[in-house]
């Protein structure tokens, strides 16, 4: 293989992609505009649109996290402890959707 065909990607590249995918997921959670809206503008009229949008953003986040794990990059420090746990579990449950932004302060006021 010639040197011209090799690409050396830095840890910063992957950590920046991780941050972008986290922001994308959070924008989808908040029902804010994402690339998905531009790709599928006709979907906005369908009730399941926001579910698909969140699913796409979650899948992207999990993919970038998997790459970070394979490269032994410290991805968990970019998340709150409970968020890193949700991502590690890989399942986008109602708990993830309801408590992604939860902090210790908000937990004290629940129940």
């Amino acid at each position: 293989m010639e040197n011209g065909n090799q690409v050396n990607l830095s840890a910063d590249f992957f950590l920046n992609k991780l941050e972008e995918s986290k922001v994308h997921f959070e924008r989808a959670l908040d029902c804010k505009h994402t690339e998905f809206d531009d790709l599928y503008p006709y979907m906005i009229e369908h009730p399941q649109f926001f579910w698909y949008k969140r699913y796409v953003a979650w899948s992207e986040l999990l993919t970038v996290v998997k790459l970070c794990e394979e490269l032994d990059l410290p991805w968990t420090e970019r998340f709150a402890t409970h968020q890193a746990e949700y991502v590690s579990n890989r399942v986008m449950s109602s708990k993830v959707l309801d408590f992604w932004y939860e902090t210790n302060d908000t937990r004290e006021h629940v129940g």
Side-chain angles (χ1 to χ4, degrees), residues 17-28:
K17 291 298 175 189
L18 178 66
E19 186 62 30
E20 288 173 11
S21 64
K22 181 179 183 236
V23 168
H24 182 213
F25 177 67
E26 290 176 346
R27 288 187 64 80

